[in-house]
Amino acid sequence: MGRAASSLDYRELARRRLPHFLFEYIDGGSYDQVTLARNVDDLREVTLRQRVLRDVSELDLSTELFGRKWDLPIGLGPVGLSGLYARRGEVQGARAAEAAGAPFCLSTMSVCALDEVARGVGKPFWFQLYMTRDRGFVRELLAKARDASCTALLFTVDLPVPGSRYRDARSGLSGSPGLAGALRRAWQGACRPGWAWDVGLNGRPHLLGNVAPMLGESSGLEDFLGWIGSNFDSSATWRDLDFIRAEWKGPLVIKGVLDPDDAREAAALGADGLVVSNHGGRQLDGALSTAKALGPIAEAVGDRMTVLADGGVRSGLDVVRMLALGAKGVLLGRAWAYALAGGGQRGVAHMLELMAAEMRVAMALTGCTRIDQIDRSILV
């Protein structure tokens, strides 16, 4: 871990440590992974203005999001199954974020349930919601989020149906049902003895804690994937925000917006924020990259709601690029999943330290000393 100099170094550590099907799940996108590549490539093409002879001896990375001050404008976004990347992985990730003064958002599809994560940290965190057909279950889940003192709700809207992910089918996560698939995954796990000891044997239970009441105590990965396809509500519309608002009184953030018209709709319906996101290139392949979509959306609604972004961020330099394009905060997905898999809580903490250090360099060389100074004026 001490040799890791970037989040991509943690990607290699994760590849070496995780069973093949889990690494492919983290690393892969949908179809031919065009949007996955665009997220990285388009963000890399964002050119910054280098400015010199400015007093940058004191740099402040703190910011305010949804009524709370954070030490970093970087959050750990919701990542499903992260409790399988390291022992009780969501708790480890939440603790690392808390220590860094960064937001943490728990996925509906987490291994550790809301109450377990709440017991593992000292401060509130955020929760991410998928709309299911059973509104009673959604109501119960939101009540649990309130009981866990979650302070913001990220409502993911870009998964009415699961994306077509070839790498998951080839790895055995989704393409090998029944006993044959279970044996294939077990063999892949046995080939990673460090993971098998830490997670396979000592990281139980391997349930999806938040949806276990619906899935049952003996469900496996194939049940999880099948449950998504049959229970996520593809009939949900903007009208369903009324239902969520009735059950959730805190900040409501719409996650998965790529079009300015959808952003205006979210603002008109009273959402407090949105996340410009294409689900990490895991849904509609060929869709816009976040870097290309962010500017027009921030221009359309940035004065009415808090605009966050994710997708393609691999460094603190990328965070500064996203902020310059119009985001008020940036959520990490793969970057923290790689670090968790490669080094557990310490790996996530180290990755956040690396990102913060990279941000300071980028800010100093663009003449910015505060987060609110990072805007389109530093773009070429």
Side-chain angles (χ1 to χ4, degrees):
M1 189 173 66
R3 293 190 296 271
S6 72
S7 69
L8 290 180
D9 289 344
Y10 278 109
R11 177 184 181 274
E12 178 59 19
L13 291 173
R15 186 190 67 80
R16 295 178 185 178
R17 184 173 181 273
L18 289 176
H20 180 62
F21 71 91
L22 279 179
F23 177 76
E24 292 293 280
Y25 179 74
I26 293 175
D27 200 57
S30 64
Y31 294 92
D32 295 321
Q33 305 184 127
V34 172
T35 298
L36 172 61
R38 283 177 181 169
N39 276 347
V40 176
D41 295 342
D42 289 350
L43 190 55
R44 186 183 293 136
E45 291 299 314
V46 174
T47 307
L48 303 176
R49 296 174 64 196
Q50 179 171 298
R51 306 303 301 274
V52 298
L53 291 178
R54 308 252 175 144
D55 183 357
V56 291
S57 57
E58 295 185 11
L59 301 175
D60 183 4
L61 273 63
S62 67
T63 193
E64 184 174 311
L65 297 172
F66 306 115
R68 178 177 168 186
K69 187 173 182 179
W70 304 92
D71 294 336
L72 295 173
I74 306 170
L76 304 189
V79 177
L81 300 184
S82 49
L84 295 181
Y85 311 153
R87 186 190 308 183
R88 314 315 291 169
E90 290 92 2
V91 175
Q92 294 197 54
R95 286 172 174 167
E98 182 177 70
F104 173 83
C105 186
L106 183 70
S107 170
T108 292
M109 296 300 163
S110 60
V111 171
C112 299
L114 278 155
D115 58 347
E116 181 180 352
V117 177
R119 290 193 302 269
V121 296
K123 295 180 180 179
F125 52 95
W126 299 347
F127 182 63
Q128 174 267 333
L129 175 74
Y130 288 113
M131 182 65 78
T132 66
R133 298 181 184 186
D134 186 340
R135 294 296 194 269
F137 173 71
V138 174
R139 188 176 290 111
E140 292 174 5
L141 199 54
L142 291 176
K144 291 178 180 178
R146 289 194 301 272
D147 292 343
S149 299
C150 293
T151 54
L153 181 72
L154 274 62
F155 176 36
T156 296
V157 295
D158 59 356
L159 209 157
V161 295
S164 183
R165 302 171 190 171
Y166 299 155
R167 287 172 67 175
D168 287 347
R170 293 167 182 149
S171 72
L173 177 62
S174 63
S176 301
L179 179 60
L183 290 174
R184 184 180 178 187
R185 291 188 293 272
W187 171 251
Q188 292 179 23
C191 291
R192 295 289 188 267
W195 177 90
W197 173 258
D198 180 49
V199 180
L201 294 176
N202 295 306
R204 296 178 182 276
H206 298 153
L207 300 173
L208 293 171
N210 295 316
V211 301
M214 294 190 72
L215 273 172
E217 293 290 320
S218 60
S219 57
L221 283 174
E222 62 272 12
D223 300 310
F224 148 67
L225 295 167
W227 185 83
I228 289 177
S230 60
N231 284 276
F232 279 20
D233 191 355
S234 58
S235 70
T237 69
W238 291 108
R239 292 190 299 272
D240 288 286
L241 289 187
D242 292 337
F243 166 77
I244 294 177
R245 272 299 189 197
E247 302 296 328
W248 180 263
K249 303 307 180 184
L252 174 61
V253 184
I254 309 301
K255 182 178 185 297
V257 177
L258 287 179
D259 189 280
D261 286 344
D262 285 340
R264 294 186 187 97
E265 187 79 20
L269 291 173
D272 301 285
L274 57 83
V275 184
V276 181
S277 173
N278 50 44
H279 217 96
R282 297 165 67 81
Q283 284 297 101
L284 177 61
D285 201 25
L288 274 179
S289 69
T290 299
K292 293 291 187 183
L294 177 54
I297 289 175
E299 185 176 348
V301 300
D303 59 341
R304 290 187 282 167
M305 59 199 315
T306 299
V307 176
L308 309 178
D310 69 23
V313 177
R314 300 294 185 266
S315 67
L317 175 60
D318 288 340
V319 173
V320 170
R321 286 168 166 148
M322 284 289 202
L323 296 176
L325 289 169
K328 299 302 181 185
V330 175
L331 299 181
L332 306 178
R334 288 181 178 86
W336 86 265
Y338 294 147
L340 178 68
Q345 180 177 333
R346 289 198 304 155
V348 179
H350 183 230
M351 181 274 300
L352 288 170
E353 291 172 1
L354 292 172
M355 291 253 181
E358 292 161 348
M359 281 193 67
R360 291 187 179 94
V361 173
M363 289 172 65
L365 294 177
T366 54
C368 299
T369 60
R370 302 190 313 270
I371 295 302
D372 61 6
Q373 294 175 347
I374 304 173
D375 56 26
R376 297 194 69 86
S377 69
I378 72 166
L379 297 178
V380 174

